[in-house]
Amino acid sequence: MPKRAKVQARTSCAVAVSRRALASANSSVFTPPALATATSCTGHLVAVFPRRRTRATVSPMSSLLETGRSHDCGALRGRDVGASVVLFGWVHRRRDLGALIFITLRDRFGITQVVFDPDLAGPVQALAATLRGEFCVAVEGTVVSRGSNINPQMPTGEIEVQARSLEVFSSADPLPFNVADDAELDASEANRLKYRYLDLRRPSLQRNFVLRSRLATLTRITLADMGFLELETPYMVKYTPGGARNFLVPSRLNPGQFYALAESPQIFKQLFMVAGMDKYFQICRCFRDEDLRNDRQPEFTQIDVEISYATPARVQAPIEALIRRSWKDILDVELPAEFPRLTWAEAMARYGSDKPDIRFGLEFVDLTDLVRESGFRMFTDAAHIKALCVPAEHAEPLTRGRIEKLTELVKKRESGGAKGLAWARIGEGGTWSSPLTKNLSPEIMAAISERAGARPGSVLLIVADNFHVTHQALGTLRLELRDSLDLVAKAGLPPWQFLWVTDFPLFEKTDKGYVSSHHPFTSPRADHIALLDTDPAQVLAQAYDLVLNGNEIGGGSIRIHRSDVQAKVFATLGLDEAQIQQKFGFLLEAFRYGPPPHGGIALGLDRISMLMAGATSLRDVIAFPKTQRGTDLMTGCPSGADDEQLAELFIGHRGLPTEGS
RNA sequence: GGGGUGGUAGUUAAGUCGGUUAUAACGCCGGCCUGUCACGUCGGAGGUCGCGGGUUCGAGUCCCGUCCGCCCCGCCA
């Protein structure tokens, strides 16, 4: 309250000063004082130093808003010197040298310096002196060369605008954090979210959203050019438990019943295929009531695609084209003509991940057959014995102490829970320095070194356990070494490494039986359909993920269009006929009426934007994101609803924590 | 549900072993300054140390609880 009053005082003082300045000026030079009044017809503060006009019909009363801007704040260059311009924008910085005042004016296109020269601008000067950071203003003036004072750091640094008139659209309270100091982020995450509209003014975030917008536009252009139809699916859909938790929306017209917010348009896009839409896409919001992460928000945006008569290649080709075009147009990066493909089994065997980062080597070396008969208990008991061989040129930092830390890492439950980490440092002449020397014969050690390509100075890191533990532990270790040894930069590969991972298992076995790895509409490989009856765990899916630098940015599959196959999959998942009919009856019914074979994919628009922008959090590419607890600090959402509305929806509180409990 | 980490002026941070008036930078307010560009310079104001309780002669600091931000595991078909 006092703060606001202060600002208003400052502002009205400015009016008085500028009036005084106007009154004291040589009136013969000015148009009548009434024309140079301090408030424009639109109610904005304005100070005008009238130009000598050839046509008296131009009314100086007209606001600069009416005039409109002639350029954005990133447009002017040396070639524009002499031009008369109108700029709108925010006061980025002010440098008040007393008589001479510099203002940098910012909009989303750039920053331009404005100079208020008392010798030339007269009464405008007094108003200019009242400007503060983030005032929203209009400036009218002449583009002049900066002469010997050019600023090579700014695209507009050759020139500046010599102000003739200034109009303050609105003043600004001192900001809760600095918008102009963008390079060094000077705000806490909480404040950034509370004042998101200010955070979004920062040039770096503006760049992210320009990029995101271009990506969305390119998606529409590229896919539409290829004959895809942009179609919409409902957000309010039938609640089907299983999979991600749904947000529920109570139905007033159907008391006690709920819609679910769609966690994906999956079923509807398949029905589009049944409907003959052939090639569909949508830039679509999805909602999942799961815990948040740095790269997971409860609502996020997918580029959703489905095509009829699909094969994996026919889905992947247009996606590759879209990605290639986006990287070319937005980042000016040429991507390879075809992205490499790895089966899931290969990806796991070589990288211990279904989304491997292939920007650096450090692939797993399988030692199982070499050490199985070694007689060493640790190895004879393990189904999978694999190693990472850190090349000599990168291995120097791996001291005993560092290896000790890595051992603790792989023992953690979340990194696989390995029982330990065996290691060996290769010395001159190939001799091992390792706790294993007393357990392994020289022949076996030599054979391991040879297979791993170990040379003097190399370090071997070995995990022996079951499939899951060995691969997860070494996969975690591989990424840790990537970061701590800076392996990506040292590898020197192109910075964008795309990869298709294919042939995922159709099911995962859990305590409660089989669950879909992808979703229950994913088609098994044609040659694996028979296995559905005999060994579901072995069935591979016609599913594919698109991976970029170790991040899953999309996933899709060929769908089941045969009701007999769909029935077998449902049965394997343990659904009985009643459940199937209740959840998916309408889909199976649709499949009775001539469904085309079909398949598709969904790409994560947020994640792709994040990676393209070089951002480290999904929040930096989502305009109004939620906190990790799923709240919006700016609006205070979620919130309670009033009793009247709750009664209308037949909703009461049950088991809600009460105050003080 | 679990693990980690943080919360001190408008903002970002420092604050030692528990001890004098809680410190700095930026921002804000006032003065000076006609070529700055993170302008400079002189001065000033500004604090519920997240909140509640406890230990103590004395708590920003130690203990217990709680709220909130962030990171991770589980979870995300």
Side-chain angles (χ1 to χ4, degrees):
Chain A
M1 195 61 178
K3 217 183 294 168
R4 182 166 299 279
K6 229 186 294 175
V7 170
Q8 279 170 351
R10 193 168 68 206
T11 307
S12 47
C13 169
V15 174
V17 167
S18 75
R19 282 200 170 119
R20 209 160 45 235
L22 284 165
S24 67
N26 182 346
S27 60
S28 68
V29 178
F30 289 92
T31 44
L35 297 179
T37 183
T39 308
S40 77
C41 56
T42 46
H44 301 125
L45 293 168
V46 57
V48 179
F49 185 102
R51 282 185 276 170
R52 291 187 177 82
R53 292 185 181 82
T54 49
R55 294 172 56 200
T57 51
V58 178
S59 165
M61 276 296 283
S62 79
S63 144
L64 289 175
L65 181 62
E66 294 295 325
T67 311
R69 61 181 148 189
S70 62
H71 297 76
D72 64 57
C73 293
L76 296 170
R77 295 291 184 275
R79 61 174 183 268
D80 299 304
V81 166
S84 206
V85 298
V86 176
L87 299 183
F88 298 163
W90 283 274
V91 175
H92 188 65
R93 280 182 217 283
R94 71 189 171 101
R95 293 182 279 273
D96 184 345
L97 275 56
L100 195 61
I101 299 171
F102 294 97
I103 293 292
T104 47
L105 206 58
R106 184 195 73 241
D107 63 16
R108 75 175 167 87
F109 305 99
I111 297 174
T112 300
Q113 176 163 284
V114 177
V115 58
F116 295 90
D117 187 331
D119 300 337
L120 297 162
V124 174
Q125 209 67 11
L127 184 57
T130 68
L131 294 178
R132 293 296 181 273
E134 301 305 311
F135 277 30
C136 185
V137 304
V139 169
E140 186 260 348
T142 305
V143 180
V144 297
S145 168
R146 289 212 214 170
S148 58
N149 295 314
I150 64 164
N151 183 344
Q153 254 85 58
M154 310 174 67
T156 61
E158 273 181 81
I159 54 87
E160 63 195 356
V161 173
Q162 195 139 44
R164 206 154 34 226
S165 41
L166 167 68
E167 188 169 327
V168 177
F169 291 141
S170 62
S171 63
D173 286 357
L175 264 56
F177 52 84
N178 195 336
V179 170
D181 271 338
D182 196 32
E184 208 171 313
L185 189 53
D186 192 23
S188 66
E189 200 70 30
N191 265 331
R192 292 181 55 196
L193 292 173
K194 181 170 178 189
Y195 301 97
R196 187 61 170 175
Y197 42 87
L198 297 178
D199 196 34
L200 289 170
R201 278 188 196 171
R202 292 169 36 230
S204 65
L205 274 200
Q206 299 227 325
R207 275 193 295 277
N208 290 355
F209 286 95
V210 169
L211 185 155
R212 184 182 170 121
S213 169
R214 291 178 67 190
L215 179 59
T217 302
L218 277 169
T219 299
R220 292 202 160 93
I221 293 171
T222 307
L223 293 178
D225 279 352
M226 288 191 283
F228 285 83
L229 297 179
E230 182 173 8
L231 302 171
E232 291 169 87
T233 53
Y235 285 155
M236 295 162 63
V237 301
K238 180 182 168 63
Y239 168 65
T240 52
R245 264 189 285 267
N246 290 111
F247 289 101
L248 290 181
V249 180
S251 168
R252 178 179 58 81
L253 297 177
N254 302 277
Q257 302 195 309
F258 299 86
Y259 306 93
L261 294 183
E263 62 195 58
S264 102
Q266 182 61 37
I267 291 175
F268 290 97
K269 69 174 172 176
Q270 292 191 239
L271 292 172
F272 274 147
M273 297 304 104
V274 177
M277 296 306 179
D278 213 276
K279 293 165 102 175
Y280 140 95
F281 85 99
Q282 180 180 197
I283 296 178
C284 177
R285 198 66 61 85
C286 300
F287 305 87
R288 295 181 188 176
D289 187 9
E290 296 294 343
D291 285 8
L292 283 74
R293 285 283 189 284
N294 189 29
D295 61 351
R296 267 168 24 196
Q297 282 276 317
E299 48 180 313
F300 60 96
T301 305
Q302 269 182 197
I303 301 170
D304 198 48
V305 171
E306 194 79 4
I307 65 177
S308 295
Y309 314 110
T311 61
R314 276 184 214 137
V315 175
Q316 290 159 3
I319 298 305
E320 287 193 18
L322 168 61
I323 294 283
R324 238 187 323 273
R325 181 167 177 187
S326 302
W327 254 253
K328 177 64 187 162
D329 285 12
I330 298 173
L331 301 176
D332 196 24
V333 167
E334 292 281 1
L335 295 176
E338 196 175 332
F339 299 165
R341 283 158 173 78
L342 268 187
T343 64
W344 176 85
E346 279 180 280
M348 292 305 292
R350 290 164 57 184
Y351 302 101
S353 169
D354 60 4
K355 45 177 180 172
D357 185 349
I358 57 169
R359 288 175 296 173
F360 64 110
L362 209 66
E363 293 188 25
F364 295 2
V365 181
D366 193 345
L367 306 178
T368 311
D369 58 309
L370 286 181
V371 298
R372 169 58 45 72
E373 306 304 328
S374 66
F376 183 34
R377 184 82 186 279
M378 172 187 164
F379 291 151
T380 52
D381 287 357
H384 292 265
I385 301 128
K386 294 202 170 186
L388 293 175
C389 177
V390 183
E393 59 266 33
H394 306 321
E396 202 199 338
L398 292 180
T399 58
R400 286 287 289 273
R402 287 287 281 277
I403 293 173
E404 198 62 41
K405 288 263 162 53
L406 297 175
T407 306
E408 285 164 31
L409 174 69
V410 299
K411 282 180 169 176
K412 281 189 189 167
R413 194 166 50 87
E414 61 264 31
S415 33
K419 288 184 278 294
L421 181 66
W423 61 273
R425 180 181 298 281
I426 315 303
E428 290 305 323
T431 55
W432 280 32
S433 163
S434 165
L436 294 171
T437 49
K438 53 186 178 294
N439 303 103
L440 297 177
S441 70
E443 293 74 32
I444 288 181
M445 288 191 276
I448 292 173
S449 286
E450 189 188 342
R451 180 174 294 179
R455 291 178 294 113
S458 298
V459 169
L460 290 169
L461 300 165
I462 305 168
V463 173
D465 215 300
N466 62 34
F467 178 90
H468 179 76
V469 172
T470 296
H471 289 93
Q472 192 182 349
L474 278 180
T476 303
L477 193 57
R478 182 171 176 270
L479 295 183
E480 165 60 27
L481 293 170
R482 171 193 67 182
D483 298 336
S484 59
L485 301 180
D486 199 20
L487 294 179
V488 171
K490 287 173 181 164
L493 290 174
W496 306 102
Q497 293 290 325
F498 288 86
L499 172 71
W500 289 103
V501 176
T502 67
D503 295 86
F504 284 76
L506 189 61
F507 303 108
E508 273 169 50
K509 194 160 189 180
T510 70
D511 306 339
K512 295 173 192 160
Y514 291 105
V515 298
S516 293
S517 307
H518 192 42
H519 57 58
F521 319 111
T522 304
S523 173
R525 274 171 41 166
D527 54 334
H528 285 198
I529 289 175
L531 281 172
L532 283 173
D533 297 318
T534 56
D535 193 356
Q538 296 303 312
V539 177
L540 295 181
Q542 297 194 67
Y544 32 83
D545 278 2
L546 184 56
V547 175
L548 169 58
N549 297 351
N551 301 280
E552 179 194 334
I553 58 170
S557 63
I558 302 303
R559 325 298 182 189
I560 299 169
H561 70 283
R562 277 168 51 183
S563 44
D564 60 328
V565 175
Q566 186 69 71
K568 277 186 186 174
V569 168
F570 282 146
T572 308
L573 294 171
L575 296 176
D576 62 36
E577 190 56 34
Q579 288 173 306
I580 293 167
Q581 282 308 320
Q582 197 256 327
K583 285 184 176 182
F584 306 116
F586 60 97
L587 182 69
L588 295 179
E589 190 172 21
F591 282 176
R592 285 165 40 193
Y593 301 110
H598 59 282
I601 192 166
L603 302 175
L605 178 68
D606 315 281
R607 279 192 193 170
I608 295 174
S609 303
M610 176 178 91
L611 294 169
M612 287 184 102
T616 52
S617 166
L618 215 56
R619 289 187 298 274
D620 287 344
V621 293
I622 292 177
F624 296 100
K626 304 285 191 287
T627 69
Q628 193 153 49
R629 287 173 54 82
T631 66
D632 177 346
L633 295 178
M634 183 177 66
T635 63
C637 133
S639 63
D642 56 43
D643 291 340
E644 201 179 333
Q645 173 136 27
L646 291 177
E648 208 169 49
L649 297 168
F650 296 90
I651 290 178
H653 298 302
R654 198 197 300 170
L656 204 62
T658 52
E659 263 179 69
S661 74

